[in-house]
Amino acid sequence: MFFENIKEALTSIFCNKMRSALTILGIVIGIGAVITITTIGNSIKGTLNTSFNSLGGGSLSVYLEARYPETDEEWATWEYPELTKDDLFSEEMIENLENDLSDVVAGINIQNDLGYGKVSTSYDHYANVNVNGASLSVIENFKLKIKYGRMYTQEDTDLAKTTCIIPDVMAKNYFENENPIGQIINVELDNGKSYKFTVVGVYRYDQSLFGKPDSSVPEKDRINIIFTPYTTINKLADAESEGYSYLDISVNPSLDQSQASETIKEYLLKYYEDNPNWTVYIYNATEDMKIINVVINVITIAISFIAAISLIVGGVGVMNIMLVSITERTKEIGVRMAMGAKKRVIRTQFIIEAIVLCLFGGLVGIAIGIINGFIIGAVAQLFVNQFYPDYAKFIYITINPSLTAVLLSVFFSMLTGVFFGFYPANKAAKMEVIDALRYE
Amino acid sequence: MSETDNIKRPIIQMHDIHKSYYIGKPNELEILHGIGFNAYEGEFVSIVGESGSGKSTLMNIIGILDRQTSGTYFLEGKDVNQLNDDVRSEIRNKRIGFVFQNFNLLPRANALKNVMMPLVYSEQKPKNRREKAMEMLKLVGMDDRAMHKPNELSGGQKQRVAIARAMINDPAIILADEPTGALDSKTGHMVMDIFHKLHEEQGKTIVLITHSQELANETQRIITLFDGNITSDKGGAL
């Protein structure tokens, strides 16, 4: 009986294709709007999160924080404590943290620099450089692309080797046709000191990181940033590292940031248990991201509800056409009743017809909504590429149609069918067989 | 009491049937003024009367499409006025086969589906429905037109499909309301021949409602209705 009803509904819908299409238009628009909005909301969330992470937002900022007094009496005499060498995060602490929590800590982002200098072989064959120290995770977060050669390794970092990577611009201008890999460069710093580095790799110059080159400066005079392990810088500068008051820690991306933050805090606090003046504070930017996500969710839901109002309009349209259809088919209803169709069978038949009609509308609406989402996403990506080319690398617009929204839409379109189909169907079922049969 | 009384089972037992419209209103109108008759299994009865004689009203009551205002009507021994709508639907479905003047086929469905329709409401398996419907179409010689829609059939063919539909649940009575009214005399005769065949070969009880004395004369029993009363009842078993 159920399948008969569906078949019957499909026949009646397809017999009047144009009318059915117009009937479901309201539902199509309603569901289409809801799906478009939820798809975009979901996509904004996804895009923000991936962009945020690719911009390094996924790392934790670890600070030293003064221990504030707890009582008013103490406040009266309290002075901000002086930060001494012993209070800082030491190299040893960092090494232990990396080793002991190796499954949590993806890398500690440490940067330092040696200053500006020059590499030259003769008066007119030279390159201006800035020697930077960076831990491996910094380079990873920068998404620097090694064009050829290799990146310096963890071993290089541990042993403070004088290996370095240079930008492709320098490789082209300074080494010209020579292969720079394996070459030893002698950097004469502005402060008069000079250091030797071995080139192990060439990275692609990235405008989004280092900015657009100043076009008034000839290419060969540009300052090239050379990266070397931060430990090497410490060693060369002979600044027997005093330690750090701030650490930037990248967390294993598969872990929950907040939990990782707690683990790291707990670990570091062990070193500060007995410190009377200082303690550890961790700022987790993803916590802010969570709030943004909540805000986007709320906005999406709120706008979806407004869009869903058009479902009511669509539903009323369906009800209207069902009423017309039932009047038109009064005779048919009469015949069916005369042939033994019970009232509830007639009611079920028309409710199912309304449900099938609305379901069609819902499915078409879902398809349109998802297509809309992809079109809008493509347009937005074009917009970013066109107007914010520097950020294009970090902003991947990913379109995620929300599965929950799709399922809910299917459910609600059917519910619309039941709700707005019930009155007409009941009207049909309440007809007296004799009146319906004799209806002309 | 004749011998047939003991053999023949009464299908329709009507006693003092009244039917009024607009009850309690100033324009109250009584159409039937106390109709009483019995029809027995295997009878071919015609109810003849001019328009306005109340024969359509009577046919609606016999077909359980309408309820009488007073009086009793037993169909196969059941007081159908006491039954609820669902049971009445079931009786219409299984025990009564309708043949209408204007065929009342569903325009969107082909002949086969039209014939199967009552089986859908008696919830038979789809496979059985098809077989049985084809059998019935064969009976009325319409099996070669099974896939045709009503608008592709002639009047006579439509009526034959309608008869097949009426027969499909093997009903206790076939109720034919002016079955030849919309047909020319030649096809009308063809349809009447089918009724005679069903009556003679299958022993069907048939109630034919008509205004035509000529058509009525073909049947074994003629009940004449005039102005809401039975004025004559000829040729019956009693």
Side-chain angles (χ1 to χ4, degrees):
Chain A
M1 198 57 142
F2 181 69
F3 289 105
E4 254 80 39
N5 279 325
I6 288 181
K7 258 199 251 166
E8 199 58 54
L10 289 175
T11 321
S12 124
I13 287 166
F14 281 103
C15 274
N16 272 315
K17 286 193 195 74
M18 189 63 188
R19 181 201 278 187
S20 302
L22 291 173
T23 308
I24 63 171
L25 193 63
I27 305 280
V28 170
I29 292 173
I31 297 282
V34 170
I35 293 294
T36 305
I37 291 160
T38 49
T39 301
I40 289 174
N42 217 26
S43 305
I44 289 176
K45 232 166 50 183
T47 304
L48 276 183
N49 286 336
T50 52
S51 305
F52 182 76
N53 286 337
S54 73
L55 283 165
S59 61
L60 300 173
S61 302
V62 185
Y63 299 93
L64 282 175
E65 187 183 48
R67 283 189 198 276
Y68 295 109
E70 280 156 13
T71 62
D72 288 350
E73 292 87 68
E74 283 175 307
W75 266 112
T77 55
W78 189 73
E79 273 173 40
Y80 199 84
E82 202 180 318
L83 190 63
T84 65
K85 184 176 177 294
D86 295 335
D87 297 322
L88 296 172
F89 299 118
S90 66
E91 286 289 348
E92 188 199 342
M93 274 163 67
I94 292 169
E95 209 170 296
N96 289 345
L97 177 70
E98 269 190 304
N99 293 335
D100 294 349
L101 296 182
S102 58
D103 47 348
V104 178
V105 177
I108 296 176
N109 307 316
I110 300 171
Q111 275 186 276
N112 49 14
D113 75 308
L114 214 49
Y116 292 96
K118 201 178 222 180
V119 185
S120 64
T121 51
S122 66
Y123 172 70
D124 57 356
H125 185 244
Y126 61 88
N128 292 319
V129 295
N130 179 8
V131 183
N132 271 250
S135 64
L136 293 177
S137 58
V138 169
I139 304 295
E140 209 170 287
N141 290 341
F142 280 171
K143 300 205 181 338
L144 274 191
K145 202 173 165 200
I146 302 296
K147 277 176 88 177
Y148 46 95
R150 63 167 176 87
M151 179 56 202
Y152 51 81
T153 59
Q154 185 63 47
E155 194 193 338
D156 294 346
T157 309
D158 292 344
L159 301 176
K161 281 191 182 171
T162 55
T163 48
C164 74
I165 56 172
I166 62 168
D168 49 2
V169 190
M170 177 171 165
K172 191 180 87 185
N173 291 327
Y174 184 76
F175 290 104
E176 289 162 356
N177 298 327
E178 268 181 282
N179 181 3
I181 307 296
Q183 301 273 1
I184 291 167
I185 52 173
N186 187 30
V187 180
E188 296 162 47
L189 290 180
D190 292 350
N191 63 14
K193 290 179 180 167
S194 69
Y195 302 104
K196 284 190 169 62
F197 292 96
T198 309
V199 178
V200 291
V202 174
Y203 69 87
R204 170 140 67 199
Y205 183 83
D206 191 336
Q207 289 189 6
S208 61
L209 280 174
F210 311 115
K212 259 199 175 103
D214 184 350
S215 55
S216 65
V217 178
E219 203 171 77
K220 72 178 286 195
D221 287 338
R222 273 193 217 161
I223 291 165
N224 298 292
I225 297 168
I226 293 175
F227 286 104
T228 187
Y230 75 98
T231 48
T232 312
I233 303 279
N234 283 342
K235 192 174 117 190
L236 295 177
D238 206 18
E240 183 43 52
S241 165
E242 293 198 316
Y244 307 86
S245 61
Y246 163 76
L247 293 177
D248 186 62
I249 300 179
S250 289
V251 169
N252 187 339
S254 63
L255 297 176
D256 177 65
Q257 290 249 329
S258 312
Q259 222 168 329
S261 164
E262 279 307 305
T263 315
I264 291 167
K265 189 171 183 177
E266 221 169 276
Y267 185 87
L268 289 176
L269 274 178
K270 284 190 295 187
Y271 294 92
Y272 291 88
E273 265 171 2
D274 302 327
N275 192 313
N277 297 327
W278 298 93
T279 184
V280 180
Y281 171 77
I282 297 187
Y283 168 68
N284 180 4
T286 52
E287 291 289 340
D288 295 354
M289 213 48 218
K290 274 186 191 161
I291 294 170
I292 293 172
N293 283 342
V294 169
V295 171
I296 293 172
N297 277 346
V298 169
I299 293 173
T300 306
I301 291 170
I303 300 178
S304 297
F305 263 103
I306 296 169
I309 291 173
S310 55
L311 264 188
I312 297 175
V313 180
V316 171
V318 170
M319 182 153 88
N320 191 17
I321 293 297
M322 290 296 294
L323 283 172
V324 172
S325 156
I326 279 159
T327 308
E328 272 183 5
R329 287 157 68 186
T330 301
K331 185 110 193 170
E332 178 194 323
I333 295 165
V335 173
R336 286 178 186 278
M337 284 177 158
M339 297 296 141
K342 292 170 187 164
K343 287 182 183 302
R344 67 164 177 280
V345 171
I346 297 288
R347 181 163 40 231
T348 314
Q349 184 194 330
F350 283 100
I351 288 180
I352 287 184
E353 193 169 318
I355 294 175
V356 171
L357 207 52
C358 289
L359 189 60
F360 260 109
L363 294 180
V364 174
I366 288 169
I368 288 178
I370 291 176
I371 291 170
N372 265 352
F374 277 99
I375 292 173
I376 293 171
V379 170
Q381 184 75 66
L382 261 174
F383 184 84
V384 169
N385 293 351
Q386 194 64 38
F387 297 102
Y388 303 98
D390 295 352
Y391 294 98
K393 196 177 101 166
F394 296 103
I395 299 174
Y396 308 101
I397 294 184
T398 43
I399 296 299
N400 312 319
S402 155
L403 183 67
T404 335
V406 167
L407 294 178
L408 276 178
S409 294
V410 170
F411 175 73
F412 272 105
S413 57
M414 289 173 78
L415 198 68
T416 310
V418 175
F419 188 79
F420 290 99
F422 187 82
Y423 174 71
N426 209 32
K427 205 181 158 198
K430 275 188 174 159
M431 285 180 188
E432 283 303 325
V433 51
I434 186 66
D435 298 335
L437 194 61
R438 299 292 178 209
Y439 181 86
E440 292 298 335
Chain B
M1 280 262 181
S2 73
E3 271 187 16
T4 43
D5 222 359
N6 301 328
I7 301 162
K8 298 284 186 186
R9 187 166 65 98
I11 303 286
I12 297 170
Q13 292 165 289
M14 276 196 165
H15 179 68
D16 198 23
I17 294 284
H18 290 258
K19 177 67 185 179
S20 301
Y21 291 99
Y22 314 114
I23 295 163
K25 287 178 186 162
N27 55 345
E28 188 174 324
L29 183 65
E30 192 173 88
I31 301 290
L32 299 178
H33 312 297
I35 301 286
F37 75 95
N38 289 355
Y40 296 90
E41 191 171 28
E43 268 193 318
F44 193 168
V45 188
S46 59
I47 296 173
V48 66
E50 288 162 9
S51 66
S53 61
K55 61 183 189 314
S56 286
T57 307
L58 182 58
M59 127 105 197
N60 290 342
I61 293 169
I62 296 171
I64 328 183
L65 296 167
D66 206 352
R67 291 172 193 263
Q68 69 269 30
T69 312
S70 68
T72 54
Y73 167 35
F74 289 85
L75 179 77
E76 290 190 289
K78 279 183 204 134
D79 185 354
V80 290
N81 207 32
Q82 305 297 323
L83 302 173
N84 69 29
D85 282 349
D86 278 2
V87 181
R88 283 161 70 92
S89 292
E90 240 166 72
I91 293 176
R92 276 200 302 274
N93 179 250
K94 296 208 169 75
R95 305 311 295 157
I96 302 173
F98 290 97
V99 179
F100 300 98
Q101 180 175 3
N102 53 2
F103 325 121
N104 278 341
L105 297 173
L106 299 188
R108 288 197 310 258
N110 61 29
L112 183 68
K113 281 190 179 156
N114 265 293
V115 175
M116 288 196 294
M117 199 230 301
L119 294 181
V120 174
Y121 297 123
S122 48
E123 306 196 12
Q124 296 214 16
K125 282 182 188 146
K127 193 178 157 255
N128 298 349
R129 286 180 210 160
R130 212 186 161 77
E131 270 173 26
K132 215 165 163 190
M134 278 312 286
E135 198 184 304
M136 289 301 133
L137 281 170
K138 210 165 197 161
L139 187 73
V140 296
M142 286 294 295
D143 46 330
D144 55 336
R145 294 280 197 282
M147 295 303 156
H148 289 242
K149 286 190 176 174
N151 61 6
E152 296 159 351
L153 300 173
S154 72
Q157 289 173 326
K158 281 187 219 176
Q159 200 58 299
R160 277 147 72 189
V161 172
I163 294 170
R165 181 179 65 183
M167 286 290 294
I168 193 139
N169 259 334
D170 192 21
I173 54 168
I174 288 185
L175 201 51
D177 181 15
E178 301 276 11
T180 62
L183 306 174
D184 59 53
S185 63
K186 198 180 153 210
T187 46
H189 279 299
M190 243 165 73
V191 167
M192 281 307 289
D193 287 346
I194 294 174
F195 283 122
H196 285 299
K197 194 173 116 184
L198 292 176
H199 174 237
E200 280 153 23
E201 291 177 8
Q202 306 210 1
K204 278 281 153 207
T205 312
I206 300 172
V207 177
L208 172 74
I209 287 120
T210 181
H211 69 281
S212 154
Q213 194 64 49
E214 191 194 333
L215 223 56
N217 286 340
E218 289 187 28
T219 64
Q220 49 169 198
R221 179 179 172 193
I222 305 167
I223 295 173
T224 310
L225 214 58
F226 182 78
D227 204 14
N229 289 302
I230 292 179
T231 52
S232 81
D233 187 346
K234 283 183 268 182
L238 289 175

